[in-house]
Amino acid sequence: MSLNIADRRRINGPQRSVEPVYTTKAADPFATGRLDERALDQVRPIFIKTGPLDAQSLSAAAPSGSAYYEQGKIRVSCAIYGPRQGRKSNARMGSFDCDFKYAPFSCSWKRSHIKTSDEKEIALMLENSVAPAIRLEAYPKASIDAFVTVIESDGKAATIAAAINCISAALADAGIELYDSVAACSMALHGEQWVSDCSQAEENASTCSLLVARMPSADEITYLLQHGKTTPEQTQQAIQTCANDCTRVYAVICRYLQATLE
């Protein structure tokens, strides 16, 4: 006589089998136009507020100026400290240093508070983009420090551009002498068309990205970064379109700063 004894050391499978779910290819975000119905050369709506961190800190460690910047789903904050005593006591010109970090909840690729190599590289990009606009000769032996935090990201290149715009607003709020404010914008290539200010889904479906930081009043490009291959004609077209978008972003920043003085 056989006994129907179950082996408790084993995990019994389900009574009914289930067909596995296979991953499918992500849908093309440009299949029926842009998801948010913007034009190809249109930038997402912008919101700026200067001084939000100053009101929260009344101690001696309060920043000299600060700014909060939104562009679509992108949210960035920046605090400016200085001018203060620099590391080099005999320097004839001041220095501009930048610290950049993603909040752990801001994006899918950031999981801890430990600073990554990408964040250090982006911090160097921000320094090179904004430093040409600062009158560093007016601050000898001094240091100006910018601390940028990404609260929410939606597109890597677009987030870097938003960080540059946020630093420009924070520097103006801190009363730092500038030649001009720096405005930045990014583009991505999808097929044969350049698309401005792409979201993360749109960047993932693109083959090339371009970032331009520019001083519109001086008509000078302070930083240019491209990932991917294009023809010289395509690159020239993207730079021109980015320059026009930078002028629009610059106008928004200037209008807000003028309104704060009234």
Side-chain angles (χ1 to χ4, degrees), residues 2 12 59 68 72 77 80 83 100 124 162 207 211 214 252:
S2 62
N12 296 323
S59 62
Y68 172 76
S77 66
I80 300 294
F100 177 89
L124 184 60
T207 57
L211 171 69
R214 180 171 176 261
V252 174

Side-chain angles (χ1 to χ4, degrees), residues 38-203:
R38 285 184 291 141
L40 295 180
D41 60 345
Q42 186 177 358
V43 179
R44 284 173 280 190
I46 296 173
F47 171 80
I48 309 173
K49 182 176 178 58
T50 54
L53 304 180
D54 303 350
Q56 299 178 6
S57 179
L58 301 177
S59 62
S64 305
S66 60
Y68 172 76
Y69 185 93
E70 284 187 9
Q71 188 166 328
K73 293 182 179 180
I74 299 174
R75 291 167 175 83
V76 183
S77 66
C78 176
I80 300 294
Y81 291 86
R84 55 187 179 182
Q85 182 64 41
R87 300 183 182 90
K88 297 180 181 180
S89 59
N90 59 347
R92 296 183 179 179
M93 296 182 61
S95 62
F96 174 71
D97 300 311
C98 184
D99 180 84
F100 177 89
K101 67 177 180 180
Y102 287 103
F105 50 81
S106 62
C107 53
S108 59
W109 57 84
K110 179 69 175 180
R111 295 297 184 184
S112 67
H113 292 279
I114 301 175
K115 183 170 290 189
T116 62
S117 59
D118 289 342
E119 291 172 315
K120 296 178 181 178
E121 183 180 356
I122 294 174
L124 184 60
M125 292 168 52
L126 298 180
E127 291 177 11
N128 295 333
S129 301
V130 180
I134 304 175
R135 290 194 61 213
L136 295 176
E137 68 276 5
Y139 304 100
K141 304 179 182 179
S143 174
I144 301 172
D145 303 316
F147 294 85
V148 181
T149 301
V150 176
I151 303 171
E152 186 174 357
S153 174
D154 188 22
K156 289 186 177 181
T159 300
I160 298 174
I164 295 173
N165 299 330
C166 188
I167 294 174
S168 296
L171 287 172
D173 181 62
I176 303 299
E177 295 187 27
L178 304 172
Y179 294 109
D180 192 10
S181 291
V182 178
C185 188
S186 65
M187 301 196 75
L189 181 64
H190 181 74
E192 298 295 330
Q193 292 182 323
W194 285 102
V195 185
S196 298
D197 190 22
C198 290
S199 62
Q200 189 60 56
E202 292 173 339
E203 283 190 6

Side-chain angles (χ1 to χ4, degrees), residues 7 19 51 104 219-221 239:
D7 190 352
E19 183 180 359
D219 195 16
E220 293 183 7
I221 293 178
I239 293 175

